[in-house]
Coordinates of all heavy atoms in Angstrom, one line a residue:
E262 N 105.0 201.1 104.6 CA 104.9 199.9 103.9 C 103.5 199.5 103.7 O 102.7 199.7 104.7 CB 105.7 198.8 104.5 CG 105.7 197.5 103.8 CD 106.5 196.4 104.5 OE1 107.6 196.7 104.8 OE2 105.9 195.3 104.6
E263 N 103.1 199.1 102.5 CA 101.7 198.7 102.3 C 101.8 197.5 101.3 O 102.5 197.5 100.4 CB 100.9 199.8 101.7 CG 99.5 199.5 101.5 CD 98.6 200.6 101.0 OE1 99.1 201.8 101.2 OE2 97.5 200.4 100.5
V264 N 101.0 196.5 101.6 CA 100.9 195.3 100.7 C 99.6 195.5 99.9 O 98.5 195.7 100.5 CB 100.8 194.0 101.6 CG1 100.6 192.8 100.7 CG2 102.1 193.9 102.4
V265 N 99.7 195.4 98.6 CA 98.6 195.4 97.7 C 98.5 194.1 97.0 O 99.5 193.6 96.5 CB 98.7 196.6 96.7 CG1 97.6 196.6 95.8 CG2 98.9 197.9 97.4
T266 N 97.3 193.5 97.0 CA 97.1 192.3 96.3 C 96.2 192.5 95.1 O 95.2 193.2 95.2 CB 96.4 191.3 97.3 OG1 97.2 191.1 98.4 CG2 96.2 189.9 96.6
M267 N 96.7 192.0 94.0 CA 95.9 192.1 92.7 C 95.7 190.7 92.2 O 96.7 189.8 92.3 CB 96.7 192.9 91.7 CG 96.9 194.4 92.2 SD 98.0 195.3 91.1 CE 96.8 195.7 89.8
T268 N 94.6 190.4 91.7 CA 94.3 189.1 91.1 C 94.2 189.1 89.6 O 93.6 190.0 89.0 CB 92.9 188.5 91.7 OG1 93.0 188.5 93.1 CG2 92.6 187.2 91.1
V269 N 94.9 188.2 88.9 CA 94.8 188.1 87.5 C 94.1 186.8 87.2 O 94.5 185.7 87.5 CB 96.3 188.0 86.9 CG1 96.2 187.9 85.3 CG2 97.1 189.3 87.3
T270 N 92.9 187.0 86.6 CA 92.1 185.8 86.3 C 92.5 185.1 85.0 O 93.2 185.7 84.2 CB 90.6 186.2 86.2 OG1 90.4 187.0 85.1 CG2 90.1 186.9 87.4
Y271 N 92.2 183.8 84.9 CA 92.5 183.1 83.7 C 91.8 183.8 82.5 O 92.5 183.9 81.4 CB 91.9 181.7 83.8 CG 92.1 180.9 82.5 CD1 93.4 180.5 82.1 CD2 91.0 180.5 81.7 CE1 93.5 179.8 80.9 CE2 91.2 179.8 80.6 CZ 92.4 179.4 80.2 OH 92.6 178.7 79.0
A272 N 90.6 184.3 82.6 CA 90.0 185.0 81.5 C 90.8 186.2 81.0 O 90.8 186.5 79.8 CB 88.6 185.4 81.9
E273 N 91.5 186.9 81.9 CA 92.3 188.0 81.6 C 93.6 187.7 80.8 O 94.0 188.3 79.9 CB 92.7 188.8 82.8 CG 91.5 189.5 83.4 CD 91.9 190.2 84.7 OE1 92.4 189.5 85.6 OE2 91.6 191.4 84.9
Y274 N 94.3 186.6 81.3 CA 95.6 186.3 80.7 C 95.5 185.2 79.6 O 96.4 185.2 78.7 CB 96.6 185.9 81.7 CG 96.5 184.6 82.4 CD1 96.9 183.4 81.7 CD2 96.0 184.5 83.7 CE1 96.8 182.2 82.3 CE2 95.9 183.2 84.3 CZ 96.3 182.1 83.6 OH 96.2 180.9 84.2
Q275 N 94.4 184.4 79.5 CA 94.3 183.4 78.5 C 94.5 183.8 77.1 O 95.2 183.2 76.3 CB 93.0 182.6 78.7 CG 92.8 181.4 77.8 CD 92.1 181.8 76.5 OE1 91.4 182.8 76.4 NE2 92.4 181.0 75.4
P276 N 93.9 184.9 76.6 CA 94.1 185.3 75.2 C 95.5 185.7 74.9 O 95.8 185.7 73.7 CB 93.1 186.5 75.1 CG 92.2 186.5 76.2 CD 93.0 185.8 77.3
H277 N 96.3 185.9 75.8 CA 97.7 186.4 75.6 C 98.8 185.3 75.8 O 99.9 185.6 75.5 CB 98.0 187.6 76.5 CG 96.9 188.7 76.4 ND1 96.8 189.5 75.3 CD2 95.9 189.0 77.3 CE1 95.7 190.3 75.5 NE2 95.2 190.0 76.7
V278 N 98.4 184.2 76.3 CA 99.4 183.1 76.5 C 99.8 182.3 75.3 O 100.9 182.1 75.0 CB 98.9 182.2 77.7 CG1 99.9 181.0 77.9 CG2 98.7 182.9 79.0
G279 N 98.8 181.9 74.5 CA 99.1 181.1 73.3 C 99.7 179.8 73.7 O 99.3 179.1 74.6
D280 N 100.8 179.5 73.0 CA 101.6 178.2 73.3 C 102.6 178.4 74.4 O 103.3 177.5 74.7 CB 102.2 177.7 72.0 CG 101.2 177.2 71.0 OD1 100.1 176.9 71.4 OD2 101.5 177.2 69.8
Q281 N 102.7 179.6 74.9 CA 103.7 179.9 75.9 C 103.3 179.3 77.2 O 102.1 179.1 77.5 CB 103.8 181.4 76.1 CG 104.2 182.2 74.9 CD 105.6 181.7 74.3 OE1 106.5 181.6 75.1 NE2 105.7 181.5 73.0
D282 N 104.3 179.0 78.1 CA 104.0 178.4 79.4 C 104.4 179.4 80.5 O 104.8 178.9 81.6 CB 104.6 177.0 79.5 CG 106.2 177.1 79.4 OD1 106.7 178.2 79.0 OD2 106.8 176.1 79.6
A283 N 104.4 180.7 80.2 CA 104.8 181.6 81.2 C 104.1 183.0 80.9 O 103.7 183.3 79.8 CB 106.3 181.9 81.1
L284 N 104.1 183.7 82.0 CA 103.5 185.1 81.9 C 104.6 186.1 82.4 O 105.4 185.7 83.3 CB 102.4 185.3 82.9 CG 101.1 184.5 82.7 CD1 100.1 184.7 83.9 CD2 100.5 184.8 81.4
K285 N 104.7 187.2 81.8 CA 105.6 188.3 82.3 C 104.8 189.4 82.8 O 104.0 190.0 82.1 CB 106.5 188.8 81.1 CG 107.6 189.7 81.6 CD 108.6 190.0 80.6 CE 108.2 191.1 79.7 NZ 109.2 191.6 78.8
L286 N 104.9 189.6 84.1 CA 104.1 190.6 84.8 C 105.0 191.8 85.1 O 106.2 191.7 85.5 CB 103.6 190.1 86.1 CG 102.7 188.8 86.0 CD1 102.3 188.3 87.4 CD2 101.4 189.1 85.2
T287 N 104.5 193.0 84.9 CA 105.3 194.2 85.2 C 104.4 195.1 86.1 O 103.2 195.3 85.8 CB 105.6 195.0 83.9 OG1 106.3 194.1 83.0 CG2 106.4 196.2 84.1
V288 N 105.0 195.7 87.1 CA 104.4 196.6 88.0 C 105.2 197.9 88.0 O 106.4 197.8 88.0 CB 104.1 196.0 89.4 CG1 105.5 195.8 90.1 CG2 103.2 196.9 90.2
A289 N 104.5 199.0 88.0 CA 105.2 200.3 88.1 C 104.5 201.2 89.0 O 103.3 201.1 89.2 CB 105.3 200.9 86.7
G290 N 105.3 202.1 89.7 CA 104.7 203.0 90.6 C 105.6 204.3 90.6 O 106.7 204.3 90.1
A291 N 105.0 205.3 91.2 CA 105.7 206.6 91.2 C 105.5 207.2 92.6 O 104.5 207.1 93.3 CB 105.1 207.6 90.2
V292 N 106.6 207.8 93.1 CA 106.6 208.4 94.4 C 106.3 209.9 94.2 O 107.1 210.6 93.5 CB 108.0 208.2 95.1 CG1 108.0 209.0 96.5 CG2 108.3 206.8 95.3
Q293 N 105.2 210.4 94.7 CA 104.8 211.8 94.4 C 105.8 212.8 95.0 O 106.1 213.8 94.3 CB 103.4 212.0 95.0 CG 102.3 211.4 94.3 CD 100.9 211.7 94.9 OE1 100.8 212.1 96.0 NE2 99.9 211.5 94.1
E294 N 106.3 212.5 96.2 CA 107.2 213.5 96.8 C 108.5 213.7 96.1 O 109.0 214.8 96.1 CB 107.5 213.1 98.3 CG 106.3 213.1 99.2 CD 105.4 211.8 99.1 OE1 105.8 210.9 98.4 OE2 104.3 211.8 99.7
T295 N 109.0 212.6 95.5 CA 110.3 212.7 94.8 C 110.3 212.6 93.3 O 111.2 212.9 92.6 CB 111.2 211.6 95.3 OG1 110.7 210.3 94.9 CG2 111.4 211.6 96.8
G296 N 109.1 212.2 92.8 CA 109.0 212.0 91.4 C 109.7 210.7 90.9 O 109.8 210.4 89.7
Q297 N 110.2 209.9 91.8 CA 110.9 208.7 91.5 C 109.9 207.7 90.9 O 108.8 207.5 91.5 CB 111.7 208.1 92.7 CG 112.5 206.9 92.4 CD 113.1 206.4 93.7 OE1 112.8 206.7 94.8 NE2 114.1 205.5 93.5
V298 N 110.3 207.0 89.9 CA 109.5 205.9 89.3 C 110.2 204.6 89.6 O 111.4 204.4 89.4 CB 109.4 206.1 87.7 CG1 108.6 205.0 87.1 CG2 108.7 207.5 87.4
L299 N 109.4 203.7 90.0 CA 109.9 202.3 90.3 C 109.2 201.3 89.4 O 108.0 201.5 89.1 CB 109.6 202.0 91.8 CG 110.0 203.0 92.8 CD1 109.4 202.7 94.2 CD2 111.5 202.9 93.0
A300 N 109.9 200.3 89.0 CA 109.3 199.3 88.2 C 110.0 197.9 88.5 O 111.1 197.9 88.9 CB 109.5 199.6 86.7
K301 N 109.2 196.9 88.3 CA 109.7 195.5 88.6 C 109.0 194.6 87.6 O 107.8 194.7 87.4 CB 109.4 195.1 90.0 CG 110.0 193.8 90.4 CD 111.5 193.8 90.6 CE 111.9 192.4 91.2 NZ 113.3 192.4 91.4
E302 N 109.7 193.6 87.1 CA 109.2 192.6 86.2 C 109.3 191.2 86.9 O 110.2 191.0 87.7 CB 109.9 192.5 84.9 CG 109.5 193.6 83.9 CD 110.1 193.4 82.5 OE1 110.8 192.4 82.3 OE2 109.8 194.2 81.7
L303 N 108.3 190.4 86.7 CA 108.3 189.0 87.2 C 107.9 188.1 86.1 O 106.8 188.3 85.5 CB 107.4 188.9 88.4 CG 107.2 187.5 89.1 CD1 108.5 187.0 89.7 CD2 106.1 187.6 90.1
R304 N 108.7 187.0 85.9 CA 108.3 186.0 85.0 C 107.7 184.8 85.8 O 108.4 184.3 86.7 CB 109.5 185.5 84.2 CG 109.2 184.4 83.2 CD 110.4 184.1 82.4 NE 110.4 182.8 81.8 CZ 109.9 182.4 80.7 NH1 109.3 183.3 79.9 NH2 109.9 181.1 80.3
V305 N 106.5 184.5 85.5 CA 105.8 183.4 86.2 C 105.7 182.2 85.3 O 105.1 182.3 84.2 CB 104.4 183.9 86.6 CG1 103.6 182.8 87.3 CG2 104.4 185.2 87.5
Q306 N 106.2 181.1 85.7 CA 106.2 179.9 85.0 C 104.8 179.2 85.3 O 104.5 178.9 86.4 CB 107.3 178.9 85.4 CG 107.5 177.7 84.5 CD 108.1 178.1 83.2 OE1 108.8 179.0 83.0 NE2 107.7 177.3 82.2
L307 N 104.1 178.9 84.3 CA 102.8 178.2 84.4 C 103.0 176.7 84.5 O 103.8 176.2 83.7 CB 101.8 178.6 83.3 CG 101.5 180.0 83.1 CD1 100.7 180.3 81.9 CD2 100.7 180.5 84.4
H308 N 102.4 176.1 85.4 CA 102.6 174.6 85.6 C 101.6 173.9 84.7 O 100.4 174.2 84.7 CB 102.4 174.2 87.0 CG 103.4 174.8 87.9 ND1 104.7 174.3 88.0 CD2 103.3 175.9 88.7 CE1 105.4 175.1 88.9 NE2 104.6 176.0 89.3
T309 N 102.1 173.0 83.9 CA 101.2 172.1 83.1 C 100.8 170.9 83.9 O 101.7 170.3 84.6 CB 101.8 171.8 81.7 OG1 103.1 171.1 82.0 CG2 102.1 173.0 80.9
P310 N 99.6 170.4 83.8 CA 99.2 169.2 84.5 C 99.9 168.0 84.0 O 100.3 168.0 82.8 CB 97.7 169.2 84.3 CG 97.4 170.0 83.1 CD 98.5 171.0 83.0
E311 N 100.0 167.0 84.8 CA 100.7 165.7 84.4 C 99.7 164.7 83.9 O 98.5 164.7 84.3 CB 101.4 165.2 85.6 CG 102.6 166.0 86.0 CD 103.4 165.4 87.2 OE1 103.3 164.1 87.3 OE2 104.1 166.1 87.9
L312 N 100.2 163.8 83.1 CA 99.4 162.6 82.7 C 99.9 161.5 83.7 O 101.0 161.4 84.1 CB 99.8 162.1 81.3 CG 99.4 163.0 80.2 CD1 99.9 162.5 78.9 CD2 97.9 163.0 80.1
T313 N 98.9 160.7 84.2 CA 99.2 159.6 85.1 C 98.9 158.3 84.3 O 97.8 158.2 83.8 CB 98.3 159.7 86.4 OG1 98.6 160.9 87.0 CG2 98.7 158.6 87.3
L314 N 99.8 157.4 84.2 CA 99.7 156.1 83.6 C 99.6 155.0 84.6 O 100.5 155.0 85.5 CB 100.8 155.9 82.6 CG 101.0 156.9 81.5 CD1 102.3 156.7 80.8 CD2 99.9 156.9 80.5
T315 N 98.6 154.1 84.5 CA 98.5 153.0 85.4 C 98.2 151.7 84.6 O 97.3 151.7 83.8 CB 97.4 153.3 86.4 OG1 97.6 154.5 87.1 CG2 97.3 152.2 87.5
L316 N 99.0 150.7 84.9 CA 98.7 149.4 84.2 C 97.4 148.8 84.9 O 97.3 148.8 86.2 CB 99.8 148.4 84.4 CG 101.1 148.7 83.5 CD1 102.2 147.7 83.9 CD2 100.7 148.6 82.1
L317 N 96.5 148.3 84.1 CA 95.3 147.8 84.7 C 95.3 146.2 84.8 O 94.3 145.6 85.0 CB 94.0 148.2 83.9 CG 93.8 149.7 83.9 CD1 92.6 150.1 83.0 CD2 93.6 150.3 85.3
G318 N 96.4 145.7 84.6 CA 96.6 144.2 84.7 C 98.1 143.9 84.6 O 98.9 144.8 84.4
P319 N 98.4 142.6 84.6 CA 99.8 142.2 84.5 C 100.3 142.4 83.1 O 99.6 142.2 82.1 CB 99.8 140.7 84.9 CG 98.4 140.3 84.7 CD 97.5 141.5 84.9
A320 N 101.6 142.8 83.0 CA 102.2 143.0 81.7 C 102.9 141.7 81.4 O 104.0 141.4 82.0 CB 103.2 144.2 81.8
V321 N 102.3 140.9 80.5 CA 102.9 139.6 80.2 C 103.3 139.6 78.7 O 102.5 140.1 77.8 CB 101.8 138.5 80.4 CG1 102.3 137.1 80.0 CG2 101.4 138.5 81.9
V322 N 104.5 139.1 78.4 CA 105.0 139.0 77.0 C 104.0 138.3 76.1 O 103.5 137.2 76.5 CB 106.3 138.3 77.0 CG1 106.8 138.1 75.5 CG2 107.4 139.1 77.8
G323 N 103.6 138.9 75.0 CA 102.7 138.3 74.0 C 101.3 138.5 74.3 O 100.4 138.1 73.6
Q324 N 100.9 139.3 75.4 CA 99.5 139.5 75.7 C 99.3 141.0 75.8 O 100.2 141.8 76.1 CB 99.2 138.9 77.0 CG 99.2 137.4 77.1 CD 98.8 136.8 78.4 OE1 98.3 137.5 79.3 NE2 99.0 135.5 78.6
E325 N 98.1 141.4 75.4 CA 97.7 142.8 75.6 C 97.6 143.2 77.0 O 97.4 142.4 77.9 CB 96.3 143.0 75.0 CG 96.2 142.9 73.5 CD 94.8 143.3 72.9 OE1 93.9 143.6 73.7 OE2 94.7 143.3 71.7
V326 N 97.9 144.5 77.2 CA 97.7 145.0 78.6 C 97.0 146.4 78.5 O 97.3 147.2 77.6 CB 99.1 145.2 79.3 CG1 100.0 146.1 78.6 CG2 98.9 145.6 80.7
S327 N 96.1 146.6 79.3 CA 95.3 147.9 79.3 C 96.1 148.9 80.2 O 96.6 148.5 81.3 CB 93.9 147.7 79.9 OG 93.2 146.9 79.0
V328 N 96.1 150.1 79.7 CA 96.7 151.2 80.5 C 95.7 152.3 80.7 O 95.0 152.7 79.7 CB 97.9 151.8 79.7 CG1 98.5 152.9 80.4 CG2 98.9 150.7 79.4
Q329 N 95.6 152.8 81.9 CA 94.7 153.9 82.2 C 95.5 155.2 82.2 O 96.5 155.2 82.8 CB 94.0 153.7 83.6 CG 93.1 154.8 84.0 CD 92.6 154.7 85.4 OE1 93.5 154.5 86.3 NE2 91.3 154.7 85.6
V330 N 94.9 156.1 81.5 CA 95.6 157.4 81.4 C 94.7 158.5 82.0 O 93.5 158.5 81.7 CB 95.8 157.9 79.9 CG1 96.5 159.2 79.8 CG2 96.6 156.8 79.2
V331 N 95.2 159.2 83.0 CA 94.4 160.2 83.7 C 95.0 161.6 83.5 O 96.2 161.8 83.6 CB 94.4 159.9 85.2 CG1 93.6 161.0 86.0 CG2 93.7 158.5 85.5
F332 N 94.2 162.5 83.1 CA 94.5 163.9 82.9 C 93.4 164.7 83.5 O 92.3 164.5 83.2 CB 94.7 164.2 81.4 CG 94.8 165.7 81.1 CD1 96.0 166.3 81.2 CD2 93.7 166.4 80.7 CE1 96.1 167.7 80.9 CE2 93.8 167.8 80.4 CZ 95.0 168.4 80.6
Q333 N 93.8 165.6 84.3 CA 92.8 166.5 84.9 C 92.9 167.9 84.3 O 94.0 168.5 84.5 CB 92.9 166.6 86.4 CG 91.7 167.4 87.1 CD 91.7 167.2 88.6 OE1 92.3 166.4 89.1 NE2 90.9 168.1 89.2
N334 N 91.9 168.4 83.7 CA 91.9 169.7 83.1 C 91.8 170.8 84.3 O 90.8 170.9 85.0 CB 90.7 169.9 82.2 CG 90.6 171.3 81.6 OD1 91.5 172.1 81.7 ND2 89.5 171.5 80.9
P335 N 92.9 171.6 84.4 CA 92.8 172.6 85.5 C 92.1 173.9 85.1 O 92.0 174.8 85.9 CB 94.3 172.9 85.7 CG 94.9 172.7 84.3 CD 94.1 171.6 83.7
L336 N 91.7 174.0 83.8 CA 91.1 175.2 83.3 C 89.6 175.3 83.6 O 89.0 174.3 83.7 CB 91.3 175.3 81.8 CG 92.8 175.3 81.4 CD1 92.9 175.3 79.9 CD2 93.6 176.4 82.0
P337 N 89.1 176.5 83.7 CA 87.7 176.7 84.0 C 86.8 176.6 82.8 O 85.7 177.0 82.8 CB 87.6 178.1 84.6 CG 88.8 178.8 84.0 CD 89.9 177.8 83.8
E338 N 87.3 176.0 81.7 CA 86.5 175.8 80.5 C 86.9 174.4 79.9 O 88.0 173.9 80.1 CB 86.8 176.9 79.5 CG 88.2 177.0 79.1 CD 88.5 178.2 78.2 OE1 88.0 179.4 78.6 OE2 89.0 178.1 77.1
P339 N 86.0 173.8 79.2 CA 86.3 172.5 78.6 C 87.4 172.6 77.5 O 87.5 173.7 76.8 CB 85.0 172.1 77.9 CG 83.9 173.1 78.3 CD 84.6 174.3 78.9
L340 N 88.2 171.6 77.4 CA 89.2 171.5 76.3 C 88.5 171.0 75.1 O 87.6 170.2 75.1 CB 90.3 170.6 76.7 CG 91.1 171.0 77.9 CD1 92.2 169.9 78.3 CD2 91.9 172.3 77.6
S341 N 89.1 171.3 73.9 CA 88.6 170.8 72.7 C 89.8 170.5 71.8 O 90.9 171.1 71.9 CB 87.7 171.8 72.0 OG 88.4 173.0 71.6
G342 N 89.7 169.5 71.0 CA 90.8 169.1 70.0 C 91.9 168.4 70.7 O 93.0 168.3 70.2
A343 N 91.7 167.8 71.9 CA 92.8 167.1 72.6 C 92.8 165.7 72.0 O 91.9 165.1 71.6 CB 92.5 167.1 74.1
S344 N 94.0 165.1 72.1 CA 94.2 163.7 71.6 C 95.4 163.1 72.4 O 96.2 163.8 72.9 CB 94.5 163.6 70.1 OG 95.7 164.3 69.8
L345 N 95.4 161.8 72.5 CA 96.4 161.0 73.1 C 97.0 160.1 72.1 O 96.3 159.5 71.3 CB 95.9 160.2 74.3 CG 95.4 161.0 75.5 CD1 94.8 160.0 76.5 CD2 96.5 161.8 76.2
R346 N 98.4 159.9 72.2 CA 99.1 158.9 71.4 C 100.1 158.2 72.3 O 100.8 158.8 73.0 CB 99.8 159.6 70.2 CG 100.5 158.7 69.3 CD 101.4 159.5 68.3 NE 101.0 160.8 68.0 CZ 100.5 161.2 66.8 NH1 100.4 160.4 65.8 NH2 100.2 162.5 66.7
M347 N 100.1 156.8 72.1 CA 101.1 156.1 72.9 C 102.2 155.6 72.0 O 102.0 155.1 70.9 CB 100.4 154.9 73.6 CG 101.3 154.1 74.5 SD 100.6 152.7 75.3 CE 99.1 153.4 76.0
E348 N 103.4 155.7 72.5 CA 104.6 155.2 71.8 C 105.5 154.6 72.8 O 105.5 154.9 74.0 CB 105.3 156.4 71.1 CG 104.5 157.0 70.0 CD 105.2 158.2 69.3 OE1 106.4 158.3 69.5 OE2 104.6 158.9 68.6
G349 N 106.4 153.7 72.4 CA 107.4 153.1 73.2 C 108.2 152.1 72.4 O 108.0 152.0 71.2
A350 N 109.1 151.4 73.0 CA 110.0 150.5 72.3 C 109.2 149.4 71.6 O 108.5 148.6 72.3 CB 111.0 149.9 73.2
G351 N 109.1 149.4 70.3 CA 108.3 148.4 69.6 C 106.8 148.7 69.7 O 106.0 147.9 69.2
I352 N 106.4 149.8 70.2 CA 104.9 150.1 70.4 C 104.7 151.4 69.6 O 105.4 152.3 69.7 CB 104.5 150.3 71.8 CG1 104.8 149.1 72.7 CG2 103.1 150.7 72.0 CD1 104.7 149.3 74.2
A353 N 103.6 151.3 68.8 CA 103.3 152.6 68.1 C 101.8 152.6 68.0 O 101.1 151.6 67.7 CB 103.9 152.6 66.7
C354 N 101.2 153.8 68.2 CA 99.8 154.0 68.1 C 99.7 155.1 67.0 O 99.7 156.2 67.3 CB 99.2 154.5 69.4 SG 97.4 154.7 69.4
P355 N 99.6 154.6 65.7 CA 99.6 155.6 64.7 C 98.4 156.5 64.6 O 98.5 157.6 64.1 CB 99.7 154.7 63.4 CG 99.2 153.4 63.8 CD 99.5 153.2 65.3
K356 N 97.3 156.0 65.2 CA 96.1 156.9 65.2 C 95.9 157.4 66.6 O 95.7 156.7 67.5 CB 94.9 156.1 64.8 CG 94.9 155.6 63.4 CD 93.6 154.9 63.1 CE 93.6 154.3 61.7 NZ 92.4 153.5 61.4
P357 N 96.0 158.7 66.8 CA 95.8 159.3 68.1 C 94.3 159.0 68.5 O 93.4 159.0 67.7 CB 96.0 160.8 67.9 CG 96.7 160.9 66.6 CD 96.4 159.7 65.8
V358 N 94.1 158.9 69.8 CA 92.8 158.8 70.4 C 92.3 160.1 70.6 O 92.8 160.9 71.4 CB 92.8 157.9 71.7 CG1 91.4 157.8 72.3 CG2 93.4 156.5 71.4
A359 N 91.2 160.5 69.9 CA 90.6 161.9 70.1 C 89.8 161.9 71.4 O 89.1 160.9 71.7 CB 89.8 162.2 68.9
L360 N 89.9 163.0 72.0 CA 89.2 163.2 73.3 C 88.2 164.4 73.2 O 88.5 165.3 72.5 CB 90.1 163.5 74.5 CG 91.2 162.4 74.6 CD1 92.2 162.9 75.7 CD2 90.6 161.1 75.1

């Protein structure tokens, strides 16, 4: 038995992910003595970061309330073209906030 560790960097898989939130990894090997070929596939679900919403004051009927939105970019490169939009019962933010 032997354990082999291989690292897949973001730079290697990023061009192939697109809008998908998963990777399909395939490993294959051959046994020289028997000629037997072994293969295994693994689907890896990528975790998307969460948005955290925090009220910055009391929520009072008829008054504005500020909301803090926190998003941490887990990628090793800056994001571009991101925007936020808030919606809720009776609340609409027709213009997204560009980031």
Side-chain angles (χ1 to χ4, degrees):
E262 180 178 312
E263 184 175 342
V264 176
V265 177
T266 302
M267 299 174 77
T268 301
V269 181
T270 66
Y271 176 68
E273 291 175 305
Y274 72 79
Q275 183 271 336
H277 309 286
V278 174
D280 292 337
Q281 302 298 316
D282 60 353
L284 297 174
K285 185 169 84 170
L286 304 174
T287 304
V288 64
V292 179
Q293 288 182 342
E294 294 80 8
T295 64
Q297 183 182 16
V298 176
L299 306 166
K301 182 75 175 183
E302 283 188 358
L303 175 65
R304 181 176 153 88
V305 178
Q306 190 72 31
L307 300 173
H308 297 282
T309 54
E311 293 184 21
L312 291 174
T313 302
L314 302 169
T315 305
L316 287 177
L317 297 179
V321 178
V322 174
Q324 295 182 9
E325 288 185 358
V326 62
S327 294
V328 178
Q329 179 186 52
V330 181
V331 177
F332 168 82
Q333 185 170 350
N334 178 8
L336 303 176
E338 60 186 50
L340 294 176
S341 62
S344 65
L345 292 174
R346 182 188 334 246
M347 185 181 308
E348 297 179 13
I352 301 171
C354 182
K356 293 182 184 176
V358 177
L360 305 171

